[in-house]
Amino acid sequence: MLPKHKWMIWIVILVVTLIWGYAWILMKSALQYMGPFTFSAFRFGTGALTMLIVLWLMKVGKPPKGKWGHLIIVGILQTSIVFLLVMYGMIFVEAGKSSVLLYSMPIWSSLLAAKFLTEKIPYMKLLGLGVGLIGLLTILGWDIWAKQDSRVIFGEILIIIAAISWGASNVYYRLKFKGVSQLQVNTYQMVFGTLGIILAAVVMEWGRPISLTTESIYYILFTGVLASALCFTVWFMLLSIIDMVTATISTLLVPVFGMFFGWLFLEEELTVSILIGSSLILSGIVIANLVKKKT
């Protein structure tokens, strides 16, 4: 179980968002070695296998019978839809901007949580969320609204749909998995989600060349074992101990780290809008966490 001291929780969040931010570079780079669906199948197949081994070593049993249908739904929402749409969208959209679009997820999670979980959003958290989203739009720049190729717009729409699906899975998890081990949830949702991805890869990319090199295998292992198996297990744990808005606002750090790693490793430009937008995101996270517990 995660520690309940606030500073320790934030260290955990920082590590998770760092890993996810770095993973975006690997996801984009992997497209030169194989199709987007094939890479996702390798990634989540590796992640699911890792989780099954962990459950076996820890002698964790199967989830309750009544939860299997819910696990399939979360697997489709959290793994199949999100990463099929994101990986396909990245064919048309840069890695940095892809991460920014996906991490519009907090607004969808917050709205759905308010509707279905009756979670009230305190004023300061709402303000922090708004500031963070303005930061995302600042990073994207005005070219998201004009002078874009239709294929780029198509890719961006796919990634936004993925963000909505992720937000829905967060809320569904809170509704249906109280008292269920997060290890069980992440393992079996990933298994079912991976089956959907494999089906898509077979239908859409059968016969396309696959280049398994030291580099591409590293991409698969890092994103499968760390960014998927480890980080999504920790993510479900976070959702079980802190409120939805705080958890999801914290993920706004991911595109900030993604942009930084893009500059560091891919020599992508750090523009003024990226720096200003990143500052707004960090400010939004600070503002959202100024809320007192009594709220």
Side-chain angles (χ1 to χ4, degrees):
M1 192 66 182
L2 285 175
K4 293 191 177 182
H5 297 293
K6 194 167 185 179
W7 66 270
M8 294 181 72
I9 290 174
W10 276 102
I11 289 175
V12 172
I13 289 172
L14 182 63
V15 172
V16 168
T17 51
L18 270 168
I19 292 173
W20 276 347
Y22 177 60
W24 277 93
I25 298 171
L26 307 188
M27 289 160 61
K28 182 69 173 182
S29 300
L31 296 179
Q32 63 186 306
Y33 296 100
M34 62 195 76
F37 299 162
T38 301
F39 172 73
S40 294
F42 275 120
R43 170 187 176 176
F44 287 101
T46 301
L49 180 60
T50 301
M51 292 303 303
L52 288 170
I53 292 172
V54 169
L55 288 190
W56 177 70
L57 291 174
M58 296 181 66
K59 297 181 180 180
V60 177
K62 295 179 181 178
K65 290 183 179 179
K67 299 297 182 181
W68 287 98
H70 299 311
L71 286 166
I72 293 172
I73 292 172
V74 171
I76 292 171
L77 291 172
Q78 173 73 62
T79 299
S80 298
I81 293 177
V82 171
F83 289 96
L84 285 173
L85 295 184
V86 164
M87 290 303 298
Y88 193 71
M90 286 179 73
I91 295 175
F92 313 108
V93 185
E94 295 175 357
K97 288 193 175 182
S98 297
S99 67
V100 172
L101 288 169
L102 182 63
Y103 286 92
S104 65
M105 175 271 290
I107 191 168
W108 311 115
S109 287
S110 300
L111 292 174
L112 291 169
K115 174 67 176 177
F116 295 104
L117 301 178
T118 62
E119 283 192 4
K120 294 182 179 180
I121 306 178
Y123 172 76
M124 291 298 285
K125 291 202 175 189
L126 190 61
L127 178 61
L129 179 61
V131 171
L133 290 172
I134 291 172
L136 290 181
L137 292 175
T138 303
I139 289 174
L140 284 171
W142 292 108
D143 61 335
I144 189 176
W145 309 110
K147 299 180 181 179
Q148 284 204 102
D149 183 275
S150 59
R151 297 199 313 161
V152 175
I153 295 173
F154 173 69
E156 290 170 347
I157 290 172
L158 292 181
I159 297 170
I160 291 171
I161 294 172
I164 296 171
S165 183
W166 187 1
S169 76
N170 292 336
V171 173
Y172 197 84
Y173 169 80
R174 290 284 291 269
L175 282 171
K176 302 297 183 181
F177 291 101
K178 291 180 180 178
V180 181
S181 163
Q182 291 88 6
L183 281 173
Q184 290 176 327
V185 174
N186 192 39
T187 299
Y188 290 101
Q189 72 83 16
M190 196 175 297
V191 168
F192 292 125
T194 300
L195 292 176
I197 291 174
I198 291 173
L199 178 61
V202 170
V203 172
M204 302 295 293
E205 296 177 354
W206 184 262
R208 288 183 58 172
I210 300 173
S211 177
L212 291 177
T213 66
T214 302
E215 193 169 356
S216 63
I217 292 173
Y218 165 69
Y219 296 160
I220 292 168
L221 291 177
F222 186 96
T223 58
V225 177
L226 292 180
S228 301
L230 172 64
C231 287
F232 278 109
T233 298
V234 174
W235 173 249
F236 285 123
M237 291 180 178
L238 286 170
L239 289 180
S240 70
I241 63 174
I242 60 178
D243 67 89
M244 180 72 69
V245 180
T246 299
T248 54
I249 286 178
S250 68
T251 64
L252 293 176
L253 286 170
V254 177
V256 174
F257 291 138
M259 293 285 183
F260 171 74
F261 286 126
W263 166 77
L264 186 64
F265 295 110
L266 302 180
E267 298 183 354
E268 294 179 351
E269 185 180 3
L270 278 180
T271 63
V272 174
S273 64
I274 289 174
L275 296 175
I276 294 174
S278 298
S279 299
L280 287 170
I281 288 172
L282 294 173
S283 299
I285 293 171
V286 171
I287 291 170
N289 284 278
L290 293 177
V291 183
K292 295 181 180 179
K293 288 186 177 179
K294 66 181 181 180
T295 60

